[in-house]
Amino acid sequence: MGEGFDCRIAFAETLECLAAQDPRIVAVVNDSLGSTRLVRFSQRFPARLINAGIAEQNMVGIGAGLANGGKVPFVCAASCFLTARALEQVKVDVAYSRANVKLCGMSSGLAYGQLGPTHHSIEDLAWTRAIANLTVIVPADPIETEQAVRAIAAEDGPVFLRLSRMPVPEVHPADYRFRIGSAAVLKPGSDVTLIANGTMVCRALKAASLLDEAGVSARVINLATLQPLDREVILEAAECTAGIVTVEEHSIHGGLGGAVAEVTATGRPVPMRILGIPASFAPTGSAEWLLEHFSLTPQGIFSAALELLETRVRG
Amino acid sequence: MKQTAESSPAILRDLARQVRRRSVQMVHSAGLGHPGGDLSAADILVTLYFGTLNVDPEEPDAAWRDRFIMSKGHCCASLYSTLALKGFFPEQELNGFMAPLSRLSGHPNRTELPGVEANTGPLGHGLPIAVGAALAGKMDSAAWRTFVLTGDGELQEGSNWEAIMAAAHYHLDNLVLIVDRNRIQQGGPTESILAVEPLAAKFQAFGWAVREVDGHDCAALLDVFHATPFAAGHPSCILAKTIKGKGVSFMEDRAEWHHGVPNDAQLAVALGELGPEIHG
């Protein structure tokens, strides 16, 4: 599954394109020009690239101040540092203040692989999703990344955009239209529903193909916006299929699975499996190896879906 | 660009007295608040709003406005009093300080109250935001400036020092930091809890231009605000020497009034010492 596109490229190219049209758009980094893919942005718009150095609290505060001064700042840093180190600034300076700041968490989830749990960002969705006013988006491929960047630039308000560095294939058709708060049904199905976002969407689609071959009709939903949540699509899946399997490159606590479970438990209880990283710090291994280790693979998703259906039948 | 009305030091002193009266009344009626820091900041706030800042209460979001960020957000009673006197919202609203659904929360909220530039409360947030605002002004070659008021104990927060580095690195001479140096934080003297001195030398070493001023002398405050930037290409730091609880004898220089609440008798004494209400 190593083939594909690094969504940071689509992110950076789109941001450059928007910056060329809108002088309010600026970028803020924490000595992370390379890892945010903003080197060319910094060359094209040197006065609009603020390097805050290795100082994430100040970086996010600067973002809020730039917004106060009429700018549209994209604050870009490795997700682990952006969210964990500066969480109080994210909550107070950005979300509570309703500052027009776009927080862009790069290389999220397990993307840093062997660098270990200090650099893994598998709690960021739980943290950000719990903060009021904050839109949370996890794009799945370059097309969706581009459209998400355009959408958040056009909308006034605080956003956390979670990106990876792991290559992903295109999962959306060229005419796909991303809308903040709207989930996309990528494949219809009537037996079971697979809900994923980010890097897990392509794996959920492959799992659905495996299920098809086994005679199980699987619906696949890309839940790219975690906040605000598309409750209707989730409730419809709970109504029309026998169970829901969620898949995320995140802790199984408080992220995509938690968000879906909150909706189903209170709206339409349905059997669920929540796939992600169990409550543990990951062992040493490459990102790809870790995804295998935690069964975040088409085969792992396939098995969880079958097991869910079998349990339900036996029950 | 609109010009701010010049206020004489005598008028500023009266306004500061009014802010002090309002602040202790608000803390008394709410049964909560931080009067010590409200009283130490009063002269700084009125000198900013009535003698320095280019702001228009009729147009609180005007792009050209000077920004003032109250980093020591717990001292919002004095900020609210100053904003109300300036006309950002009706003075009567001060009576509802911290009441249910009031816009005047225990820490300022810009999304609800006109004139508030940043939501502050946790310490060490205002200066980074001010650095961002000053950067925006620089990018636009704008004439407006950014002022920020921090406490002194607040400088124990590391985020301030990240911002202090950044302000000098980006040559933000459109940024003015005022430190309310009343020497006392919640638990006692700053120097016994976690020493912040030597402040002037620290700021100078970080690339700032520093001046010290009597933070209760409105004429001196006017002069020092008007003298900013102290050095082209450098951010300005004003160490305002103040007295916690200034103007109310039993509150002065006492840590317990950091968040003490006066009872009815104490309020009467405080108001008596502060002098008569100003009308009109």
Side-chain angles (χ1 to χ4, degrees):
Chain A
M1 311 228 17
E3 298 298 305
F5 302 90
D6 178 346
C7 289
R8 292 176 301 173
I9 308 283
F11 164 80
E13 286 176 352
T14 308
L15 195 61
E16 277 178 55
C17 183
L18 291 171
Q21 298 157 3
D22 185 348
R24 298 174 308 150
I25 289 181
V26 298
V28 188
V29 299
N30 61 336
D31 190 17
S32 53
L33 264 188
S35 61
T36 53
R37 293 290 183 267
L38 290 176
V39 171
R40 204 171 63 188
F41 183 103
S42 73
Q43 291 162 347
R44 287 182 69 183
F45 312 103
R48 289 155 65 184
L49 188 288
I50 303 296
N51 197 334
I54 308 165
E56 290 75 23
Q57 298 181 69
N58 189 45
M59 171 182 69
V60 174
I62 281 177
L66 285 164
N68 177 296
K71 303 299 177 189
V72 182
F74 281 69
V75 177
C76 310
S79 197
C80 54
F81 307 132
L82 174 64
T83 57
R85 192 61 167 257
L87 193 62
E88 188 176 83
Q89 280 77 10
V90 171
K91 170 190 161 187
V92 178
D93 304 4
V94 177
Y96 179 42
S97 300
R98 243 189 254 282
N100 191 22
V101 175
K102 318 305 174 184
L103 303 160
C104 304
M106 306 287 173
S107 308
S108 58
L110 299 168
Y112 275 122
Q114 302 92 322
L115 298 189
T118 55
H119 284 55
H120 297 161
S121 193
I122 60 169
E123 307 88 357
D124 51 8
L125 293 176
W127 292 335
T128 54
R129 192 172 77 78
I131 297 174
N133 293 353
L134 189 60
T135 295
V136 179
I137 300 173
V138 191
D141 69 0
I143 296 166
E144 190 166 57
T145 301
E146 178 192 340
Q147 295 194 22
V149 172
R150 289 182 183 279
I152 65 177
E155 191 159 298
D156 186 28
V159 176
F160 174 57
L161 180 72
R162 188 193 201 235
L163 298 175
S164 181
R165 61 164 59 203
M166 283 198 254
V168 286
E170 287 186 336
V171 296
H172 297 100
D175 63 351
Y176 173 68
R177 289 284 294 131
F178 168 80
R179 285 187 19 248
I180 296 171
S182 291
V185 179
L186 298 184
K187 178 186 171 304
S190 53
D191 293 328
V192 68
T193 300
L194 310 178
I195 302 181
N197 62 16
T199 55
M200 292 296 112
V201 173
C202 60
R203 291 164 186 251
L205 283 167
K206 287 190 174 166
S209 298
L210 297 177
L211 287 164
D212 270 343
E213 289 165 18
V216 175
S217 167
R219 179 178 305 197
V220 179
I221 294 170
N222 173 16
L223 195 62
T225 309
L226 259 194
Q227 185 162 267
L229 204 56
D230 190 339
R231 292 177 57 88
E232 286 66 36
V233 166
I234 296 167
L235 289 172
E236 198 195 339
E239 185 73 35
C240 302
T241 64
I244 295 174
V245 179
T246 62
V247 200
E248 62 198 300
E249 193 188 334
H250 184 271
S251 165
I252 56 172
H253 299 297
L256 169 72
V260 172
E262 286 162 17
V263 173
T264 58
T266 55
R268 176 82 172 70
V270 66
M272 279 187 67
R273 292 293 180 272
I274 295 175
L275 307 185
I277 295 124
S280 66
F281 291 109
T284 303
S286 70
E288 198 62 41
W289 185 88
L290 288 170
L291 293 179
E292 294 274 346
H293 176 75
F294 291 118
S295 299
L296 295 172
T297 57
Q299 187 62 46
I301 301 165
F302 168 79
S303 301
L306 284 188
E307 187 263 337
L308 172 70
L309 290 172
E310 283 166 14
T311 307
R312 188 178 163 277
V313 170
R314 279 204 307 274
Chain B
M1 181 80 57
K2 305 195 178 182
Q3 290 303 308
T4 177
E6 282 294 319
S7 296
S8 73
I11 291 173
L12 295 175
R13 277 193 290 276
D14 273 347
L15 289 166
R17 199 154 54 76
Q18 188 78 338
V19 165
R20 289 192 166 94
R21 287 182 60 89
R22 286 271 183 273
S23 298
V24 293
Q25 285 170 322
M26 288 162 71
V27 173
H28 171 263
S29 68
L32 271 176
H34 296 82
D38 285 323
L39 296 175
S40 70
D43 303 292
I44 296 165
L45 290 170
V46 299
T47 306
L48 281 169
Y49 275 93
F50 291 89
T52 308
L53 296 175
N54 190 17
V55 292
D56 180 358
E58 300 298 319
E59 220 182 325
D61 299 323
W64 49 260
R65 73 192 187 278
D66 286 333
R67 272 70 171 172
F68 170 70
I69 292 163
M70 182 74 162
S71 193
K72 40 180 285 180
H74 57 286
C75 298
C76 54
S78 55
L79 174 68
Y80 296 156
S81 302
T82 306
L83 291 175
L85 281 176
K86 185 73 181 175
F88 281 95
F89 54 88
E91 271 191 76
Q92 199 180 0
E93 208 168 330
L94 297 174
N95 299 331
F97 182 46
M98 289 202 238
L101 300 179
S102 168
R103 297 191 292 179
L104 278 58
S105 180
H107 292 92
N109 180 355
R110 69 178 284 274
T111 67
E112 297 202 348
L113 197 63
V116 173
E117 293 284 358
N119 295 16
T120 50
L123 298 172
H125 284 239
L127 185 54
I129 296 170
V131 167
L135 279 165
K138 280 283 180 191
M139 284 179 191
D140 293 344
S141 303
W144 57 266
R145 297 191 295 159
T146 303
F147 293 75
V148 53
L149 177 65
T150 68
D152 47 6
E154 177 176 2
L155 294 176
Q156 292 158 358
E157 287 283 5
S159 52
N160 286 310
W161 298 94
E162 298 180 357
I164 289 164
M165 259 191 285
H169 180 85
Y170 283 99
H171 307 292
L172 300 181
D173 54 10
N174 57 347
L175 174 66
V176 180
L177 162 65
I178 305 145
V179 180
D180 184 355
R181 184 70 180 110
N182 61 33
R183 296 169 286 108
I184 295 173
Q185 59 190 101
Q186 177 171 288
T190 58
E191 298 314 281
S192 68
I193 288 170
L194 184 67
V196 296
E197 292 291 348
L199 276 178
K202 282 177 180 165
F203 277 99
Q204 281 158 357
F206 274 75
W208 287 55
V210 184
R211 290 199 192 175
E212 297 190 25
V213 67
D214 176 347
H216 299 308
D217 180 342
C218 293
L221 285 167
L222 264 183
D223 287 344
V224 79
F225 292 156
H226 286 174
T228 56
F230 303 141
H234 296 270
S236 302
C237 172
I238 297 167
L239 299 174
K241 289 183 280 185
T242 56
I243 294 168
K244 195 147 191 163
K246 171 73 176 177
V248 176
S249 58
F250 60 87
M251 292 187 185
E252 287 192 358
D253 253 342
R254 301 183 68 104
E256 62 264 38
W257 286 100
H258 175 84
H259 51 36
V261 177
N263 60 29
D264 292 352
Q266 288 169 322
L267 177 69
V269 172
L271 294 177
E273 289 182 6
L274 289 169
E277 181 121 6
I278 301 162
H279 296 286

